[in-house]
Amino acid sequence: MNVSSGVLAGEGGGGVPAGDSFPVLGLDIGGTKIAAGVVDPTGSVHSFVSAPSRAEEGPAATLARLFELGRQAVSESGIDLAEIGAVGVGCGGPLDAVRGVLIAPPHLPGWHDVPVSQLAAEAFRLPVTLENDGTAAAAGEHRFGAGVGTRTMIYLTISTGVGGGAVIDGRLYRGAMGNGGEFGHVTVDCKGRLCRGCGRRGCLEAYVSGTSIAERAHEAGLLGATAEDVARAALAGEPVATSVWNDTVEALGCGLTSIVNLFEPELVVLGGGVVRSGEQLVGPVRDAVHAGALGPAASARVVASFLGDHVGVAGAAAIVYDRIELGDVRAHG
Ligand SMILES: [Zn+2]
């Protein structure tokens, strides 16, 4: 077995079969939900299961449930575990994608230096990759989804928090340790709302995450309203919800225009729970980018995620295939 950076082999387990024709088990660790699915090289998701994260129980308990969910996903896929070539894990950072360690993700309080790749390799006896979930989702949309065939693409996930990833000149951008593309912490108002994710002020995440939408709705008097409630009420013309929603759209349009000016992407893909509101969000944000971005960058297409709820597991699997092609994960010969 060749063991290279970012990949840990299960002791006595099977190596990665030659080529990248095998299915992969994708695992996604979110702040509210964990998910697992078996994904093949064409991007077909053969099974998908999810459960609450209950991250406050600590890494050992949550990871045990995640791995059980993974076994359930394999069983429901109808594919034998022996045919699965590797496990891809996606999780919010900061993390060390090279060593496969979660450093201290803000959405998983109390999780410090958790060696996720090693633990997953022991559980499944397979090679494992760990990647930032936003980066993984970008890889998923680029390989299997809305971004197929594009050279320069930005992915932005808007859910409990805000994350993202970039494909530049046809290659996934990672940063030095796998934490590049944290678009949620692009500043839209440097004296603005406190950002819980990073402690600075006025980050995009502090205005457009599902958490922030609910929080701002609460401050405006819509007690207990979720982001989904706010979207629905705004669509129905309720004035307070409309104001909260318009502020959300404005902040997202502002932050995304800066991102588009930085990268001049052909395509921007918006995913995550908040984007279930569809054109109610994507439409005005697209208009803002087209009106505000500089020169040819303003012609970037802005679309909703193609992979939807499967983007986490499909993205985690896409990372495995990407790393094989880069020679980072080696085929077992
Ligand atoms: Zn921030």
Side-chain angles (χ1 to χ4, degrees):
M1 160 100 45
N2 289 304
V3 180
S4 56
S5 62
V7 182
L8 294 159
E11 278 170 40
V16 180
D20 57 358
S21 59
F22 51 82
V24 165
L25 173 61
L27 302 176
D28 185 26
I29 310 171
T32 43
K33 275 192 295 186
I34 52 176
V38 172
V39 183
D40 75 19
T42 69
S44 284
V45 178
H46 292 257
S47 60
F48 180 79
V49 284
S50 70
S53 311
R54 308 209 304 258
E56 69 283 358
E57 293 175 3
T62 298
L63 290 178
R65 286 187 292 104
L66 177 70
F67 298 156
E68 190 47 45
L69 207 61
R71 282 185 273 272
Q72 189 189 335
V74 173
S75 154
E76 288 183 12
S77 71
I79 292 168
D80 199 273
L81 182 59
E83 290 176 47
I84 306 282
V87 178
V89 185
C91 185
L95 51 77
D96 182 339
V98 177
R99 291 190 304 128
V101 174
L102 289 180
I103 298 169
H107 69 303
L108 302 171
W111 290 43
H112 295 292
D113 299 323
V114 180
V116 168
S117 290
Q118 185 191 329
L119 295 169
E122 284 163 12
F124 294 99
R125 295 178 169 260
L126 286 168
V128 177
T129 63
L130 175 69
E131 193 73 58
N132 177 289
D133 53 3
T135 308
E141 286 290 345
H142 186 248
R143 180 173 284 266
F144 303 131
V148 170
T150 59
R151 296 275 305 155
T152 304
M153 185 202 99
I154 297 298
Y155 178 86
L156 203 65
T157 184
I158 306 158
S159 78
T160 315
V162 176
V167 172
I168 301 169
D169 294 332
R171 284 186 64 153
L172 189 65
Y173 178 76
R174 288 201 168 76
M177 283 170 73
N179 297 288
E182 284 284 7
F183 299 133
H185 304 285
V186 165
T187 305
V188 294
D189 178 355
C190 67
K191 292 184 176 145
R193 298 175 70 84
L194 188 66
C195 175
R196 292 217 189 84
C198 73
R200 294 167 71 231
R201 288 198 173 271
C203 293
L204 191 54
E205 179 169 296
Y207 293 88
V208 310
S209 67
T211 317
S212 165
I213 295 170
E215 209 171 83
R216 288 183 298 108
H218 186 88
E219 289 166 11
L222 301 174
L223 309 185
T226 63
E228 206 179 336
D229 297 335
V230 172
R232 200 180 308 114
L235 203 57
E238 197 284 317
V240 178
T242 299
S243 163
V244 171
W245 188 257
N246 288 347
D247 288 347
T248 307
V249 167
E250 196 185 351
L252 184 54
C254 170
L256 188 56
T257 300
S258 294
I259 295 166
V260 164
N261 283 337
L262 281 173
F263 292 94
E264 196 195 359
E266 300 157 67
L267 177 71
V268 175
V269 181
L270 302 177
V274 175
V275 182
R276 288 199 198 107
S277 55
E279 279 298 302
Q280 187 189 356
L281 181 77
V282 179
V285 168
R286 179 191 298 123
D287 292 345
V289 169
H290 291 178
L294 290 166
S299 62
R301 287 185 295 129
V302 180
V303 303
S305 160
F306 176 83
L307 299 172
D309 292 343
H310 290 166
V311 72
V313 298
I319 291 297
V320 171
Y321 297 124
D322 251 41
R323 288 203 186 173
I324 288 168
E325 286 169 11
L326 291 171
D328 190 13
V329 174
R330 303 244 181 80
H332 183 59

